[in-house]
Amino acid sequence: MKRKLTNILVTGGAGFIGVNFIRFLLGEGSSKPDYKGRIINLDALTYAGNAASLNSIEKSFGGTRYFFEKGDIGDHAFVEAVFQKYSIDTVVHFAAESHVDRSILGPEAFIKTNVLGTFTLLDVARNAWKDSAGQIRQDVLFHHISTDEVYGSLGETGYFTETTPYDPRSPYSASKAASDHLVMAYRHTYNLPIILSNCSNNYGPYQFPEKLIPLMVLNMLEDKPLPVYGDGKNIRDWLYVEDHNSAVWTIMQNGKTGEKYNIGGENEWENIKLLNALIEIVAKKSGKDVEKIRSLITYVKDRPGHDRRYAIDCSKLKKELGWKQTVSFEEGLGRTVDWYLSNREWINDIRSGEYQHWVEKNYGVR
Ligand code: NAD
Ligand code: TDX
């Protein structure tokens, strides 16, 4: 049965990947998908969310194809009302607490949003999507956005595939793993039409400057220390955010209901090597002295339980659905640095709230 995909509820649409997803789907990204329907953005606007990131979308599509609803995914009555108000037929569930360091310092919010919040969304969908005979409709879709971190940590070799057993090791990844299991359980128990995707590290515009790449870019521009955890040899697999979103859209349109797809960059970097590459780019674009920036590198105490290596095998997605990455790391990092260089207002805005207070309390000024 063909999916409707006409009234799409995007949860967490004011956060990094969600903002980029909405811009992409409404034609403001660098590739233009063929989407004619509506987007309903449900976001609690936590420290990580910024509705102003979608000002141009609001201006062009507000009240016709774009709608913003401020609220918590864990609020059953509110989510139910949003489902009814907009006749939601599709959910893309990005909303989460997403930063590993914060989950180590304060895990509770991660359990509330990532586990209980996902449960609430699933349960509202299960009730809202019943047909007149009480059967769950199959022309709808609940797409759950997850992470490669649920698979644990790799040694020097090997890759995560869709059948790698879960082995989460931080409160963040444990909460994401729990949400993945709930999504699968709603498929098996209630026949809810779900799809799950697990992606590697994203980077690009609008990423909150608590994550490695934007934090380092801003600290370089502000002559602040560049804090490298442990020996700097942990490895991540990086993907430009627009490529993640084109994969999600491909899966939503053509993926098989009930399946799980890995999404990755096939682009592994040791943190310290990535940092050195980034220093070269920032120096070139900002006119700062490369050696002066390099002298800011500061090795600091390791993150507790720091996963050593992540690497995604995304061959299922490539072979079955024909997706591929389109933005090279050099190109993507260049675009990202350009964006942070020219969006000072956004940076000041997002840093001004609760987050800065949290950073200062836990790390001292960075
Ligand atoms: P983010 O932290 O930048 O944004 C999260 C958004 O969710 C914010 O706008 C926030 O206000 C909203 N939110 C948080 N709690 C909420 C709640 N209870 N109710 C409603 N809204 C709430 O996160 P991101 O980096 O954009 O990640 C989006 C999703 O992608 C997450 O599910 C994350 O686990 C997953 N993911 C991220 C990456 C990455 O590298 N960033 C990689 C793989 C998967
Ligand atoms: O200051 C830092 N210094 C440092 O060495 C920071 C913030 C990070 N790091 C290291 C830790 C990791 O090895 O850089 C690497 C990347 O760190 P993060 O940007 O915090 O990302 P990570 O922990 O890998 O998780 C990210 O990718 C998977 C996202 O935050 C998750 O939401 C996603 O699920």
Side-chain angles (χ1 to χ4, degrees):
M1 190 183 291
K2 202 164 160 36
R3 292 189 183 113
K4 279 192 179 289
L5 304 174
T6 49
N7 292 316
I8 303 184
L9 178 67
V10 177
T11 70
F16 163 49
I17 306 178
V19 162
N20 281 285
F21 183 78
I22 292 172
R23 299 178 78 88
F24 160 77
L25 215 52
L26 291 177
E28 286 199 356
S30 44
S31 60
K32 316 270 177 235
D34 179 27
Y35 178 64
K36 306 265 184 305
R38 304 195 296 176
I39 289 183
I40 296 83
N41 177 6
L42 188 164
D43 196 299
L45 297 182
T46 69
Y47 80 98
N50 186 358
S53 304
L54 289 162
N55 276 348
S56 61
I57 292 287
E58 184 69 61
K59 210 165 154 209
S60 306
F61 302 103
T64 53
R65 294 184 59 206
Y66 174 73
F67 303 84
F68 180 70
E69 293 283 349
K70 182 174 185 296
D72 194 316
I73 54 165
D75 179 343
H76 196 286
F78 168 70
V79 177
E80 200 169 51
V82 170
F83 261 70
Q84 277 173 10
K85 182 172 171 188
Y86 298 99
S87 305
I88 298 299
D89 52 54
T90 310
V91 175
V92 196
H93 177 30
F94 291 98
E97 287 292 339
S98 69
H99 189 37
V100 174
D101 290 338
R102 284 178 73 100
S103 84
I104 295 166
L105 289 156
E108 192 177 346
F110 289 71
I111 306 307
K112 280 194 179 143
T113 287
N114 302 358
V115 185
L116 291 173
T118 301
F119 158 73
T120 304
L121 273 179
L122 286 165
D123 222 48
V124 170
R126 171 169 84 92
N127 288 312
W129 287 343
K130 282 192 181 135
D131 64 21
S132 49
Q135 301 294 311
I136 300 227
R137 287 166 54 189
Q138 295 299 309
D139 60 342
V140 290
L141 176 68
F142 189 110
H143 185 119
H144 180 59
I145 303 293
S146 194
T147 170
D148 57 1
E149 302 199 14
V150 298
Y151 298 121
S153 181
L154 291 164
E156 279 173 21
T157 57
Y159 295 91
F160 299 133
T161 71
E162 286 80 359
T163 56
T164 301
Y166 276 27
D167 183 20
R169 294 148 46 100
S170 71
Y172 164 68
S173 52
S175 68
K176 290 298 289 186
S179 67
D180 290 13
H181 288 316
L182 280 169
V183 171
M184 280 301 181
Y186 269 65
R187 170 67 179 169
H188 292 293
T189 310
Y190 305 114
N191 203 26
L192 192 75
I194 61 93
I195 300 186
L196 222 149
S197 55
N198 294 71
C199 191
S200 63
N201 284 59
N202 284 219
Y203 70 100
Y206 301 99
Q207 186 165 31
F208 197 90
E210 62 189 347
K211 308 284 164 55
L212 181 71
I213 290 179
L215 175 80
M216 292 298 180
V217 171
L218 294 187
N219 283 14
M220 287 179 210
L221 297 175
E222 293 163 5
D223 302 316
K224 289 185 185 165
L226 308 176
V228 176
Y229 297 165
D231 64 3
K233 294 192 172 159
N234 299 67
I235 293 174
R236 298 291 182 266
D237 170 8
W238 294 93
L239 180 68
Y240 192 63
V241 63
E242 283 193 6
D243 278 337
H244 181 187
N245 285 330
S246 73
V248 169
W249 184 234
T250 301
I251 296 167
M252 287 169 68
Q253 290 176 293
N254 303 316
K256 263 169 85 178
T257 302
E259 294 273 319
K260 179 173 200 303
Y261 295 87
N262 278 355
I263 308 171
E266 299 177 300
N267 178 39
E268 291 179 51
W269 284 75
E270 264 183 12
N271 291 338
I272 189 66
K273 289 194 176 147
L274 189 164
L275 183 55
N276 276 300
L278 199 55
I279 287 171
E280 302 275 345
I281 297 173
V282 170
K284 210 158 149 192
K285 288 185 182 283
S286 69
K288 281 180 170 284
D289 179 66
V290 81
E291 288 314 320
K292 213 167 152 209
I293 304 183
R294 223 185 290 283
S295 71
L296 297 171
I297 294 178
T298 310
Y299 285 88
V300 298
K301 197 166 155 286
D302 208 354
R303 171 186 281 174
H306 195 176
D307 288 338
R308 193 63 172 170
R309 173 172 168 258
Y310 302 143
I312 278 275
D313 175 344
C314 55
S315 53
K316 172 177 172 179
L317 172 61
K318 288 183 139 180
K319 275 194 211 124
E320 288 185 14
L321 304 183
W323 171 84
K324 61 177 186 315
Q325 306 89 348
T326 62
V327 182
S328 71
F329 204 33
E330 202 187 345
E331 167 70 23
L333 284 179
R335 283 195 210 172
T336 305
V337 172
D338 284 341
W339 191 86
Y340 282 92
L341 276 170
S342 54
N343 283 278
R344 200 68 244 176
E345 206 182 317
W346 182 90
I347 294 158
N348 291 339
D349 201 25
I350 200 138
R351 272 174 155 183
S352 64
E354 180 262 343
Y355 173 70
Q356 196 57 32
H357 172 70
W358 179 85
V359 170
E360 285 169 19
K361 186 166 141 243
N362 292 292
Y363 292 98
V365 180
R366 269 191 172 166

